[in-house]
Amino acid sequence: MTTAYFSHPDCRGHDMGAGHPECPQRLDAIEDHLLATGLDIALTRRDAPLARHHDLTLAHSEGYLLELDEFLQQAVETGEHTAIDQDTNVCPGTRQAMLRAAGAAVAATDAVIDGEAINAFCAIRPPGHHATRSQAMGFCFYNNVSIAARHALDVRGLERVAIVDFDVHHGNGTEDIVAGDERILMVSFFQDQIYPFSGGVPMGENMVNLPIPAYTRGGEIRDLIRSQWLPRLEEFRPQMIFISAGFDAHREDELGQLGLVEADYAWITQQLVDVAARHCGGRIVSCLEGGYSLSSLARSVAAHLRVLAGV
Ligand SMILES: [Zn+2]
C-alpha cells in the first residue's frame, strides 16, 4: 500500500485576487517540487470528488450553508469577487474548489479506512481550519478536516479519532466544531497573539492547545510536543489521525514568526506516523491548510510526504 495524494485542478479555480497569499500558485509550487524531486513516483494520485451536501452538514449548520450558497451564487452571477470579510472572498470558481477540497478529505478518509492506501495527503484549497460551524473566515469556508473526522465517526463507525493541527494559526474553526465531542481529541500548537487571537483558553477537555510565543524555534516546539501532545495521544488511542497540515510556522513564512524548518515537519510527521502505527494500523489523513512562502511550502510538504510515504 502506498500514500494516496488527492487533489484536483478545480482547486486552482478559487482566486481571491492579485497579491492574496492564499493563491492558486501554492498548489503549483507543491506539484512542481514533487515532480522535480521525483517524490511523485512514491504517491498514488487520486482525483478529488465533489463533496455532497450530507458531508458538509457533518460540520456546518444548514443556515450557514445556505448563506454561503448565496455568496457563491452572487459571485457566479456578477462574475466578480464577493467579500465575506476583509481577508476572505469568493469568486466564480470558488464553489467547485471548496467542494473538491472537502470531497478530497472525505474520499481520502474512505480510501484509508478501506485499505486502498496506508495514509493520504490532500493537496487542496481553500483551507478549512478557521471555518467554524456557522462562519467563513481566515481564507476558510468548509472545515475539511472536521468534515472528514466526523465522516470517519458518524458514517464509517469509528469510535475515536484525533485531529492534529500544526498550522501557525490557531484552528479556531475546528475547535468550535469539535470541542466537547469526546470521540475526538484535538491537539495543536499555534503562535500566540496573532490571527485569529483565540485558543488561549481551551473550549473543551478534549482540546490540547499550546499557544507559543513568536520566534520560538523547532527544538522547543519538539519538547512541547513530546511532553504535551504525545502522552495525550497515547492515552486516547485514536483509531485514525487527521492532520491540519499548515506549513506557515516555517521560519521563511511571513504570515507567522515561528522558526520551524523542513526537518521539524519531518520529525512531527514521524511522531504521528509512530502513534498511528501503534494504535490505528497507520491510518492518517493529512489536509493542507496554510503555508504562504511558496518555496518553503513546497519543501515542507515534501518533507511531510517523504515520512508519510516512508521514502
Ligand atoms: Zn495558517
Side-chain angles (χ1 to χ4, degrees):
M1 280 199 294
T2 58
T3 294
Y5 182 88
F6 282 81
S7 193
H8 197 281
D10 287 350
C11 288
R12 292 190 83 271
H14 166 60
D15 187 341
M16 292 193 283
H20 198 293
E22 207 291 275
C23 59
Q25 290 73 27
R26 298 175 63 227
L27 295 182
D28 299 341
I30 293 169
E31 288 280 344
D32 286 353
H33 192 72
L34 295 183
L35 291 169
T37 55
L39 186 52
D40 63 310
I41 297 166
L43 310 170
T44 305
R45 283 181 183 269
R46 301 274 300 264
D47 263 354
L50 297 168
R52 300 151 299 179
H53 183 74
H54 167 76
D55 301 324
L56 308 176
T57 60
L58 292 167
H60 297 290
S61 67
E62 291 281 5
Y64 166 66
L65 294 172
L66 272 174
E67 189 186 339
L68 190 54
D69 276 344
E70 283 169 24
F71 278 105
L72 294 164
Q73 192 58 34
Q74 199 179 327
V76 169
E77 282 168 12
T78 62
E80 290 177 4
H81 295 275
T82 303
I84 289 181
D85 65 31
Q86 81 180 42
D87 304 320
T88 310
N89 67 72
V90 298
C91 75
T94 300
R95 183 196 296 272
Q96 286 293 104
M98 66 196 346
L99 288 171
R100 295 287 181 196
V106 171
T109 303
D110 283 335
V112 170
I113 291 177
D114 291 336
E116 296 165 13
I118 180 78
N119 53 37
F121 180 74
C122 300
I124 49 177
R125 51 181 298 281
H129 77 150
H130 294 307
T132 72
R133 184 170 154 73
S134 56
Q135 191 183 351
M137 60 185 281
F139 319 162
C140 300
F141 306 92
Y142 297 148
N143 195 306
N144 306 312
V145 159
S146 297
I147 290 168
R150 285 271 170 75
H151 176 75
L153 295 164
D154 294 350
V155 179
R156 300 304 307 263
L158 299 194
E159 291 168 353
R160 294 179 312 283
V161 303
I163 296 176
V164 177
D165 188 327
F166 56 68
D167 191 278
V168 79
H169 303 100
H170 172 230
N172 64 300
T174 311
E175 177 162 15
D176 175 68
I177 293 164
V178 310
D181 184 341
E182 298 299 332
R183 303 169 302 168
I184 301 175
L185 171 69
M186 178 174 179
V187 304
S188 71
F189 70 76
F190 47 88
Q191 186 177 328
D192 200 11
Q193 304 298 326
I194 60 167
Y195 186 88
F197 304 99
S198 54
V201 180
M203 291 168 64
E205 287 181 4
N206 62 326
M207 311 299 304
V208 177
N209 293 7
L210 303 178
I212 291 180
Y215 308 110
T216 302
R217 294 284 178 108
E220 290 166 71
I221 293 175
R222 292 187 197 198
D223 288 343
L224 284 166
I225 288 173
R226 265 190 217 102
S227 63
Q228 308 291 320
W229 282 11
L230 297 180
R232 284 294 296 272
L233 286 166
E234 285 298 326
E235 181 189 24
F236 187 70
R237 296 182 297 114
Q239 294 168 305
M240 187 157 179
I241 297 175
F242 294 86
I243 305 178
S244 265
F247 297 93
D248 41 10
H250 195 284
R251 182 182 295 181
E252 293 171 24
D253 200 293
E254 292 183 353
L255 266 69
Q257 289 77 38
L258 292 186
L260 296 192
V261 295
E262 293 91 303
D264 295 310
Y265 289 114
W267 183 87
I268 294 169
T269 309
Q270 188 64 57
Q271 308 313 304
L272 301 176
V273 164
D274 291 347
V275 173
R278 282 195 289 276
H279 298 293
C280 38
R283 295 195 286 214
I284 295 177
V285 168
S286 176
C287 294
L288 182 64
E289 300 282 1
Y292 304 100
S293 150
L294 298 182
S295 175
S296 67
L297 168 65
R299 292 175 349 245
S300 302
V301 168
H304 180 57
L305 278 170
R306 260 186 218 106
V307 177
L308 286 179
V311 295

